Amino acid sequence: MATEAFTVRAETDIVHQLDFIAGALDRSRNYLVNQALREYLKTHARQIEKITQGIAAADLGEVIEHDEVMKEMEAIAQPASGDNFFNCAGIWEDRDIDQTSIRAKAWPDQHG
């Protein structure tokens, strides 16, 4: 693959971090910068593609109303009636454990 040189000015602490990682990985500064640029470009190209698709869909009227989105998000975020973390996880099932017994075992010398 053909390469092309260009100059980048970076903050001193970034250069020091880059050199540290390059040394730890036994790689060159150039290698790490190219890897970072590839990841950056891949990530931002994907974001730009999604934004462009969203704008095109909106232009065609293919949108979901804000209220509908919020209702669905609230339904996802809310546990089902009566559910809580401990019941779902099942860690207290068939055990006689409560805050008092936990405290008594953690701090046996204290009376509470």
Side-chain angles (χ1 to χ4, degrees):
M1 179 179 292
T3 62
E4 185 174 331
F6 72 100
T7 302
V8 175
R9 298 194 63 76
E11 296 171 10
T12 303
D13 66 317
I14 291 174
V15 175
H16 290 170
Q17 291 176 49
L18 184 61
D19 287 341
F20 174 79
I21 293 173
L25 297 176
D26 194 27
R27 294 290 189 167
S28 69
R29 194 189 275 179
N30 183 66
Y31 174 85
L32 294 181
V33 169
N34 273 288
Q35 290 296 106
L37 288 171
R38 275 190 194 92
E39 287 300 315
Y40 179 89
L41 294 171
K42 185 169 105 178
T43 297
H44 288 278
R46 191 169 37 243
Q47 289 174 350
I48 290 168
E49 179 184 348
K50 293 295 183 184
I51 291 167
T52 302
Q53 289 172 353
I55 291 170
D59 287 345
L60 295 172
E62 299 170 354
V63 296
I64 300 172
E65 293 298 322
H66 176 76
D67 291 340
E68 283 185 57
V69 173
M70 294 309 295
K71 282 181 192 174
E72 187 162 338
M73 293 303 295
E74 288 171 8
I76 291 169
Q78 295 297 321
S81 176
D83 286 347
N84 67 41
F85 171 77
F86 296 109
N87 290 340
C88 293
I91 62 175
W92 304 120
E93 190 173 325
D94 299 326
R95 295 184 181 193
D96 186 22
I97 298 174
D98 59 16
Q99 288 182 358
T100 304
S101 65
I102 292 170
R103 286 186 180 122
K105 287 180 182 180
W107 299 283
D109 297 335
Q110 297 180 6
H111 303 300

